[in-house]
Amino acid sequence: MDSAGMGSCGPGLDGATSPDTEPLIKDPRPEELIAVSHMDVQGYKWVCWKVWLCRFGAVCSLGLLLVLFNWRPRLGILARCKSCPISMADVLLLKDRYGQEFVVDVLTEEIEEGSLEFAVVEADENEWRDTVQLHSEKKTLLRYYVFEGMRYIWIARKGAFCKASILNEGWSCADLHDRQQGLSKADQSTRKQIFGANIIDVPVKSYLQLLFEEVLNPFYIFQVFSIILWMSDRYYYYAACILIISLISIGVSLYEIRKQSTTLRRMARMIVNVTVRRDAGEECVSSEELVPGDCIVIPSEGLLLPCDAALLAGECMVNESMLTGESIPVMKTPLSVSEATYSPESQRRHTLFCGTQLIQAKGGGSAGIGAIAVVTRTGFFTAKGDLISSILYPQPLDFRFYKDAMKFLLFLGIVALVGTIYSIVILSKSNTTWQELVIRSLDIVTIIVPPALPAAITTATIYAQNRLKRHGVFCISPPRINICGKTSLFCFDKTGTLTEEGLDVWGVMEVSGAGFSELVPDPRSFSPGLMLSALASCHSLALLGGQALGDPLELKMIESTGWELTEPENEMGLDSEFGKHRVLAVMRPPASELPSQGNSVSQPVAIVRRFPFSSSLQRMSVVTVGPGGASPVAFLKGAPEMVASFCRRENLPSHFSPILREYASQGFRVLGFAYKHLTKETDLSTVERVEVEKDMNFLGLLVMKNQLKPESAEVIRTLKLAQIRPVMVTGDNILTAVNVARACGMVLSHEKVIFVHASPPTASSMASLQFHQGDGAAAATDNTQETIDIPAQGLYQNGAGYHLAINGMSFAALCDHFPEYLPKILMRGTVYARMTPEQKTQLVKALQKLNYRVGMCGDGANDCGALRAADVGVSLSEAEASVASPFTSKSNNISCVPLLIKEGRCSLVTSFSLFKYMALYSLIQFASVLILYTEKTNLGDLQFLFFDLFLVTVLAIVMGRGGPSDELHPQRPAASLLSLPVLSSLLLHTVLLILAQVSALLITVSQDWYVPLNSTVTGAANLPNMENTSIFALSGFQYIIMSIVITKGYPYKKPLCYNFLFVGVLLVFFSLMSWLVLFNHTIIHQVLKLYDINDMNYKLLLVAVAALNFFICYMLEILIDRGALNRLRNLRGKRMSKKQYKRLDAQLAETPSWPPLNQPLFPAQCSVIGVS
């Protein structure tokens, strides 16, 4: 391929790297630069004569050439185009990281005259810094393509097509504030041409288009071929039934696909009227007209936001449950003016996301009504667009069962080829015409590849999905149910997942002199002062309809003080009681406890600025004033170690670390508070967060009790017994997390905890890594005070287990500077504390690189990225279905996790059984037909119909209904269809089934009353005959007995006897077949063209052969299940596992001296990113 025809946005960036070869550590380049380079792009130009030649070929092949091009896009492109540089291409061939190929047309559009410049995001100043002149006085041709809803535009300087969103991702916070005057109509028009309309448009195809695409599916192409073949062989009844069933199947499939597309379109498509600032005025426009850079005015009553926007003025209360599953409203505050690059992810508290409901807005617009925001992303580039895109275009499931299914079908195809050759040889020896010979030979192919196989495999998943729904677990990705059965590690969030959502105030400790005062259980007993003011005012709560809304922790904190939250009645937020400041909220002490006149500190407090809490910052702050606007004070609240890092060293209590460690190790949730008096000259409306939060004075600690949910310990115990490793990933303090880990059983009482402390390099020291055994003092006091020396303790060669605990700061340093140690730490890490949402996602992906099947359970708020990255993501939400994760549980505890794994194992084992049954059904019929071909006869039309539709289809449907076992077994079910037990089972069963059929034929031929069939007629034309009747009788029993043999029960499913419907159907079918074999000739026998044999002893002998066949096959399956073939494995010697985590586990088991305690480790000269 011409190298000029290859391209991706950014020089030197790999395009289609296999997931298996990726490093454990994510690419250090900015995420937005990586996002535009995830595909290989090859450019092509149409060649006229090639196009016409292909059209001619399509006509001559009756459209089969177009079908081939539809299945293999690359062949279609190579046949009709020539390679060229992508800057000149008419069509592009895209290849994503999963190897999937797509063909897209390059579109062109003239840009209107004028001038508009976009600064492209800056990564490497020499290589990436760029300014793109998108149009000048002359008309400029914009080249772009649309893929998965997103626009990719050609940027000549980069020599690549890049996401259109790259043009506005370099904005600084100050740039956004400069856009408050809005865009001109000319700028808006040009930007709309570049970015497209602001709409998330889910394509809803017509029934005709869907029918065309469905019929081109290889399965239906094969069905059409089979029906034509059967009609040619005069199997009219059978062909007609299969045709009717296929049409019904296609009709139902088309209806469901269109229904889902329509529902998703209705959910995604959102067009509302929005007030924007244009040409220094305000006008109402459709949300479709919005472009990045537009300044929108949010009304006080709020609205359903149609884009992503940065909040510049005012405050908004937002319900983000559609995106996160979290029903608690979130307070959004204005973005500060700074030169820092704006990022929606890192500045979530200042970002309004598309699809979220703005409940109220205040303090930002004219006369203080509403709020002001600037549009940053539109269409599919928004947060909602990203979620819709993940539903529309899910990444392919990397699951061995589905891969092996396709390989096994290929194997059956090879068997069919052998059967075809055999049938040609046999039929050519008889008086068979060549037309009949071709038809009969091809008929073997339709027998060996069962038409009902795809439907049968999905049956188990459908049953499991319905059972989960009855238990309040909803699934938006059914194929992931089978993956649940292979889960080997489960991550849990702590607060709201393992522990109760709400917290109770345990007490407050205020700084007194150089230490702490005694713990005060009731904050109301505090004398008026700064501590009480901090507890009452340092929050992000808001009033809606007179009801306080916000974080439950802050609601409890306010409730404990007895103070009352009020808001100014003036729309501008001006309250004469507090001078000329714009007031966000007012906190008033209880009326009965109002202090004496003159004590200004204890009087009502007005909040005039808020800097909201975020998981990445681990803190929040407010600026308050007293009556008359006097005494401005800033309060800081957050993780104690984070708060301490912003305080003056001399102000920290001497026993800060031991006190914090004491409460955290007992499982308490501890928050730190600090304060600072601001000068009268400080402009409170514009003061930066950095200025407010530096040189603070430590004030005290708020201690809150977070109870473990009663179900958590039992669930963790169940998972550990099932050899599923539990891991805690939380944003809380590391000692609190370790305490909860011990309380819920992740860490047992006799097991030791080793704390991992990694620090990045500084101007005076190298990066270092150290393992501490004990109370985790070093890990708990990062960036606060000096690391406390821990006495060296004995190592753990005594056999006691150990767990590693690490916090977010150490995890970041570990990933950046010690990647060679990361795999080993991941293998033994159980507690990950102070982790940001991004780090949670990074952890899940790193564990997956070790070949773990990772589950993640969280509340959906800060865990969205991790929930979507995990193989099995479970969101605990009251919503029926959340796009935040594949699974949503309405229960508020983790009891759904074992249920999900049980259903996954049951579904996987059932899918295995159904696949094996359908394969054996094909092989039974394949053997029957070949044996009868040898005897110059065949099964009749209605005999095929009886077996395929009445017997096998009904059995396949009901055998999958069995529910999961009540217990979780330590051994996970197999996921490979090409393993030794599965293949040997199929091979041995097939041999036994063929022997049984041959035995039945030989018994028949050996009878005194045997009459040979008419050899002058072949195929079904010489029915009824004795050979056909004997094979029909035995194969009919074989279809039934193999459904029992293959159906697995213990330890993943309940025993067969609990599947009452299946047992009932088995009894009916056994009775029916026994009646057909044993009793006298009836109208049914005549319809099925069965020979009337009166010898009862012969008939009983056939039943005995079937019973013997059942007994041998059943015993053989039990022996294989219990490991009878393990001796064959032992002959080849013990092999290392293909899973990296198993190899690492064996390596660590042989290295009892790892990790080295209290020994500082430094980065290697040449670190290799990956698994050491």
Side-chain angles (χ1 to χ4, degrees):
M1 189 61 62
D2 185 356
S3 60
M6 304 283 287
S8 62
C9 194
L13 299 183
D14 295 332
T17 306
S18 167
D20 295 331
T21 61
E22 287 185 359
L24 280 174
I25 312 304
K26 70 176 185 179
D27 197 316
R29 292 170 299 209
E31 192 172 317
E32 57 269 22
L33 300 188
I34 301 168
V36 295
S37 58
H38 67 292
M39 291 180 294
D40 277 344
V41 184
Q42 300 173 5
Y44 295 88
K45 288 187 82 70
W46 296 111
V47 178
C48 189
W49 68 268
K50 285 188 174 184
V51 172
W52 280 104
L53 186 62
C54 287
R55 288 174 180 172
F56 178 73
V59 173
C60 294
S61 64
L62 301 178
L64 289 178
L65 187 63
L66 296 180
V67 173
L68 179 63
F69 290 167
N70 182 69
W71 291 349
R72 291 288 180 266
R74 176 179 286 274
L75 293 179
I77 289 295
L78 294 176
R80 293 174 288 188
C81 305
K82 67 175 182 180
S83 179
C84 72
I86 57 175
S87 58
M88 302 167 58
D90 299 323
V91 64
L92 300 174
L93 182 66
L94 311 180
K95 184 177 181 181
D96 66 12
R97 64 188 301 171
Y98 306 108
Q100 299 178 113
E101 293 181 331
F102 306 90
V103 175
V104 295
D105 292 320
V106 176
L107 307 174
T108 57
E109 190 173 337
E110 284 188 342
I111 302 294
E112 294 293 329
E113 292 185 11
S115 63
L116 178 67
E117 293 185 349
F118 290 106
V120 177
V121 65
E122 180 180 339
D124 184 300
E125 193 167 349
N126 299 321
E127 191 169 2
W128 280 95
R129 190 172 180 83
D130 194 8
T131 301
V132 183
Q133 184 81 24
L134 287 171
H135 63 93
S136 56
E137 293 181 3
K138 296 181 180 180
K139 292 223 173 186
T140 302
L141 200 64
L142 177 70
R143 294 171 59 79
Y144 68 95
Y145 68 88
V146 179
F147 179 66
E148 295 184 349
M150 297 185 183
R151 276 198 180 203
Y152 293 76
I153 61 174
W154 174 254
I155 299 180
R157 173 75 177 276
K158 298 187 181 303
F161 284 93
C162 299
K163 285 183 180 179
S165 61
I166 198 174
L167 301 178
N168 57 276
E169 285 178 344
W171 287 341
S172 68
C173 299
D175 291 335
L176 292 172
H177 276 275
D178 291 341
R179 299 181 184 276
Q180 289 197 47
Q181 297 306 312
L183 299 173
S184 66
K185 290 188 176 179
D187 280 352
Q188 185 276 336
S189 176
T190 305
R191 286 170 184 257
K192 187 178 178 184
Q193 285 184 293
I194 296 164
F195 291 101
N198 174 37
I199 190 166
I200 303 172
D201 196 15
V202 175
V204 178
K205 299 172 183 175
S206 65
Y207 279 112
L208 188 63
Q209 189 178 359
L210 286 172
L211 177 64
F212 181 73
E213 291 180 356
E214 193 76 5
V215 168
L216 290 185
N217 184 300
F219 170 70
Y220 285 113
I221 293 287
F222 180 72
Q223 287 283 59
V224 171
F225 163 76
S226 301
I227 289 169
I228 294 171
L229 192 66
W230 295 328
M231 295 290 281
S232 304
D233 204 18
R234 296 183 295 280
Y235 286 116
Y236 300 119
Y237 293 122
Y238 186 73
C241 286
I242 294 294
L243 177 62
I244 291 169
I245 290 172
S246 297
L247 290 175
I248 293 172
S249 173
I250 290 174
V252 171
S253 178
L254 296 188
Y255 173 77
E256 287 296 329
I257 291 172
R258 203 165 194 277
K259 180 183 174 184
Q260 289 173 8
S261 298
T262 305
T263 303
L264 193 58
R265 183 192 184 95
R266 199 160 44 240
M267 183 178 81
R269 193 180 180 90
M270 181 173 53
I271 302 176
V272 296
N273 290 328
V274 183
T275 302
V276 299
R277 290 179 174 175
R278 290 272 162 81
D279 295 322
E282 292 184 359
E283 62 178 83
C284 187
V285 300
S286 169
S287 58
E288 287 183 281
E289 303 296 317
L290 293 177
V291 295
D294 260 329
C295 183
I296 59 175
V297 179
I298 301 168
S300 58
E301 66 275 11
L303 82 160
L304 190 62
L305 200 66
C307 60
D308 284 1
L311 184 61
L312 302 185
E315 289 187 336
C316 294
M317 183 63 76
V318 187
N319 182 351
E320 295 185 333
S321 59
M322 198 288 290
L323 293 181
T324 66
E326 177 57 69
S327 58
I328 299 170
V330 180
M331 173 67 77
K332 302 283 185 173
T333 58
L335 186 70
S336 60
V337 181
S338 71
E339 292 303 318
T341 301
Y342 169 76
S343 167
E345 284 70 33
S346 61
Q347 287 155 324
R348 292 182 65 89
R349 283 292 184 152
H350 313 296
T351 303
L352 307 173
F353 293 105
C354 178
T356 59
Q357 179 67 54
L358 276 61
I359 301 172
Q360 72 173 18
K362 60 181 181 180
S366 56
I369 300 174
I372 304 296
V374 166
V375 177
T376 55
R377 299 187 295 195
T378 57
F380 273 97
F381 293 109
T382 62
K384 181 180 178 181
D386 183 47
L387 286 175
I388 297 297
S389 182
S390 68
I391 297 172
L392 274 175
Y393 315 105
Q395 69 181 49
L397 291 175
D398 181 24
F399 194 45
R400 193 169 181 179
F401 174 75
Y402 299 125
K403 291 180 180 179
D404 286 357
M406 300 310 296
K407 292 177 183 176
F408 194 82
L409 285 178
L410 182 64
F411 166 73
L412 289 180
I414 295 171
V415 175
L417 180 63
V418 173
T420 301
I421 294 171
Y422 175 81
S423 62
I424 290 172
V425 172
I426 292 297
L427 294 172
S428 61
K429 292 180 180 179
S430 60
N431 301 326
T432 308
T433 63
W434 69 269
Q435 295 99 329
E436 194 171 353
L437 188 144
V438 171
I439 290 171
R440 296 283 171 78
S441 300
L442 292 176
D443 191 33
I444 293 293
V445 179
T446 68
I447 290 171
I448 198 66
V449 182
L453 182 60
I457 292 177
T458 59
T459 303
T461 306
I462 293 169
Y463 284 134
Q465 187 176 6
N466 290 334
R467 287 193 298 265
L468 285 170
K469 193 172 183 179
R470 288 198 296 271
H471 285 93
V473 180
F474 302 91
C475 175
I476 61 172
S477 179
R480 288 188 182 269
I481 293 176
N482 278 347
I483 299 178
C484 293
K486 291 296 290 181
T487 306
S488 50
L489 182 147
F490 230 99
C491 298
F492 295 93
D493 182 33
K494 184 181 76 70
T495 307
T497 303
L498 292 170
T499 61
E500 299 288 354
E501 183 69 52
L503 293 95
D504 295 315
V505 173
W506 189 260
V508 179
M509 296 187 73
E510 192 174 11
V511 171
S512 177
F516 284 103
S517 61
E518 291 294 319
L519 181 76
V520 178
D522 186 3
R524 296 178 194 225
S525 61
F526 267 115
S527 57
L530 289 169
M531 189 70 215
L532 197 56
S533 298
L535 291 170
S537 62
C538 202
H539 60 78
S540 298
L541 303 179
L543 286 178
L544 184 63
Q547 181 74 30
L549 292 177
D551 189 336
L553 182 149
E554 294 182 335
L555 288 169
K556 283 281 188 183
M557 183 178 74
I558 300 300
E559 181 187 323
S560 72
T561 64
W563 287 43
E564 182 186 2
L565 170 65
T566 61
E567 292 181 347
E569 297 179 1
N570 187 303
E571 292 290 354
M572 287 291 291
L574 298 177
D575 193 325
S576 57
E577 183 183 355
F578 299 96
K580 298 180 180 179
H581 296 291
R582 189 177 69 83
V583 175
L584 301 176
V586 178
M587 299 305 302
R588 300 184 183 277
S592 60
E593 299 176 16
L594 282 175
S596 59
Q597 193 71 25
N599 190 349
S600 59
V601 176
S602 62
Q603 293 177 352
V605 174
I607 303 169
V608 295
R609 286 292 298 278
R610 276 196 190 104
F611 300 101
F613 175 85
S614 76
S615 299
S616 56
L617 296 177
Q618 298 178 356
R619 67 185 187 278
M620 75 158 293
S621 55
V622 295
V623 178
T624 65
V625 295
S631 308
V633 181
F635 292 110
L636 179 68
K637 178 190 75 179
E641 54 266 48
M642 182 60 70
V643 171
S645 68
F646 285 88
C647 293
R648 293 182 298 175
R649 293 288 294 271
E650 64 273 12
N651 182 253
L652 284 174
S654 57
H655 298 297
F656 171 78
S657 293
I659 291 291
L660 174 60
R661 198 156 58 247
E662 178 187 347
Y663 283 108
S665 62
Q666 294 176 38
F668 288 101
R669 177 81 178 271
V670 185
L671 294 177
F673 286 83
Y675 77 97
K676 181 173 74 172
H677 291 288
L678 301 177
T679 61
K680 292 182 179 179
E681 292 74 26
T682 305
D683 186 347
L684 302 184
S685 62
T686 60
V687 64
E688 293 290 329
R689 184 170 193 160
V690 176
E691 290 297 317
V692 169
E693 294 179 345
K694 73 176 182 181
D695 297 329
M696 304 288 283
N697 300 300
F698 197 79
L699 192 53
L701 298 172
L702 172 65
V703 183
M704 306 189 83
K705 185 68 174 175
N706 194 194
Q707 297 290 341
L708 192 71
K709 289 181 179 178
E711 301 85 0
S712 297
E714 182 57 33
V715 170
I716 297 299
R717 176 180 165 278
T718 301
L719 294 180
K720 292 182 77 172
L721 288 174
Q723 301 296 316
I724 297 171
R725 185 179 151 204
V727 168
M728 185 192 301
V729 191
T730 178
D732 208 343
N733 179 281
I734 192 168
L735 295 177
T736 304
V738 168
N739 178 275
V740 172
R742 287 196 182 278
C744 70
M746 280 190 190
V747 178
L748 300 179
S749 58
H750 66 277
E751 294 177 325
K752 298 169 183 173
V753 175
I754 298 171
F755 294 87
V756 183
H757 175 62
S759 57
T762 63
S764 59
S765 64
M766 296 175 62
S768 65
L769 173 65
Q770 201 162 358
F771 298 90
H772 300 277
Q773 183 182 344
D775 58 2
T781 57
D782 280 350
N783 290 348
T784 56
Q785 291 180 300
E786 66 280 358
T787 298
I788 298 173
D789 291 327
I790 300 176
Q793 300 181 31
L795 290 180
Y796 22 85
Q797 286 94 334
N798 55 6
Y802 68 92
H803 298 263
L804 299 182
I806 185 171
N807 64 19
M809 295 179 68
S810 291
F811 183 76
L814 180 72
C815 292
D816 292 340
H817 305 288
F818 299 92
E820 66 273 20
Y821 289 104
L822 180 61
K824 291 182 179 180
I825 290 173
L826 291 176
M827 283 300 303
R828 294 293 183 258
T830 299
V831 176
Y832 297 85
R834 293 287 186 230
M835 298 284 279
T836 65
E838 293 76 20
Q839 286 177 325
K840 290 182 181 182
T841 306
Q842 188 179 352
L843 174 66
V844 167
K845 291 181 177 179
L847 288 166
Q848 288 171 328
K849 300 285 172 50
L850 296 179
N851 303 126
Y852 276 112
R853 284 289 175 190
V854 181
M856 175 72 197
C857 183
D859 57 14
N862 295 322
D863 311 312
C864 284
L867 288 170
R868 292 171 62 196
D871 298 293
V872 180
V874 190
S875 173
L876 304 183
S877 170
E878 293 182 0
E880 183 165 308
S882 169
V883 291
S885 63
F887 298 94
T888 304
S889 173
K890 294 186 80 171
S891 67
N892 65 348
N893 59 67
I894 62 171
S895 59
C896 59
V897 171
L899 172 69
L900 199 54
I901 296 171
K902 288 176 191 174
E903 287 290 358
R905 290 183 175 188
C906 175
S907 175
L908 182 58
V909 168
T910 305
S911 297
F912 254 78
S913 298
L914 285 167
F915 194 95
K916 286 175 66 176
Y917 179 67
M918 297 306 290
L920 284 169
Y921 140 66
S922 298
L923 291 168
I924 291 170
Q925 199 165 87
F926 176 70
S928 301
V929 170
L930 288 184
I931 290 170
L932 292 175
Y933 274 4
T934 308
E935 297 296 317
K936 300 182 182 179
T937 184
N938 198 1
L939 292 171
D941 187 2
L942 292 176
Q943 289 176 352
F944 274 121
L945 199 63
F946 174 76
F947 285 149
D948 290 357
L949 297 185
F950 183 67
L951 213 64
V952 173
T953 302
V954 173
L955 282 170
I957 289 172
V958 299
M959 71 187 286
R961 281 180 57 90
S965 171
D966 293 328
E967 302 293 330
L968 268 179
H969 196 266
Q971 184 71 32
R972 287 183 293 279
S976 174
L977 284 167
L978 304 181
S979 62
L980 179 63
V982 175
L983 293 178
S984 57
S985 169
L986 285 173
L987 178 62
L988 293 172
H989 285 318
T990 303
V991 171
L992 290 170
L993 293 166
I994 293 173
L995 287 175
Q997 290 190 29
V998 171
S999 300
L1001 183 64
L1002 293 175
I1003 290 170
T1004 304
V1005 172
S1006 66
Q1007 298 300 313
D1008 297 335
W1009 40 257
Y1010 169 71
V1011 179
L1013 53 77
N1014 183 5
S1015 59
T1016 60
V1017 184
T1018 60
N1022 59 17
L1023 293 179
N1025 59 64
M1026 295 182 181
E1027 291 87 347
N1028 167 275
T1029 302
S1030 63
I1031 295 297
F1032 174 89
L1034 197 70
S1035 62
F1037 278 118
Q1038 286 178 337
Y1039 293 128
I1040 300 170
I1041 64 178
M1042 291 317 296
S1043 69
I1044 302 172
V1045 171
I1046 294 302
T1047 300
K1048 293 289 192 300
Y1050 178 83
Y1052 308 114
K1053 290 179 64 177
K1054 289 182 178 177
L1056 184 147
C1057 58
Y1058 284 88
N1059 189 348
F1060 303 117
L1061 185 59
F1062 184 38
V1063 173
V1065 169
L1066 285 175
L1067 292 174
V1068 170
F1069 282 170
F1070 266 123
S1071 302
L1072 179 61
M1073 280 305 304
S1074 299
W1075 176 75
L1076 286 173
V1077 172
L1078 298 175
F1079 289 90
N1080 294 329
H1081 220 52
T1082 63
I1083 186 66
I1084 303 297
H1085 293 77
Q1086 294 174 18
V1087 169
L1088 292 174
K1089 295 185 178 179
L1090 298 175
Y1091 196 89
D1092 187 11
I1093 299 174
N1094 296 317
D1095 188 346
M1096 182 57 71
N1097 291 331
Y1098 164 76
K1099 294 177 181 179
L1100 290 172
L1101 188 57
L1102 283 183
V1103 175
V1105 171
L1108 180 63
N1109 192 186
F1110 168 67
F1111 176 77
I1112 295 174
C1113 287
Y1114 188 77
M1115 294 306 296
L1116 177 67
E1117 191 70 16
I1118 289 176
L1119 289 173
I1120 291 173
D1121 280 348
R1122 295 191 176 179
L1125 298 173
N1126 286 344
R1127 290 188 177 182
L1128 293 177
R1129 287 180 177 173
N1130 295 336
L1131 291 176
R1132 72 181 185 188
K1134 191 174 182 181
R1135 293 185 181 180
M1136 291 186 68
S1137 173
K1138 293 180 180 179
K1139 291 183 170 58
Q1140 292 186 46
Y1141 76 86
K1142 289 188 177 180
R1143 297 203 303 269
L1144 274 169
D1145 191 48
Q1147 181 184 336
L1148 288 173
E1150 296 170 359
T1151 317
S1153 59
W1154 195 92
L1157 292 184
N1158 304 325
Q1159 300 175 24
L1161 304 173
F1162 302 100
Q1165 290 297 320
C1166 298
S1167 297
V1168 178
I1169 297 179
V1171 178
S1172 61

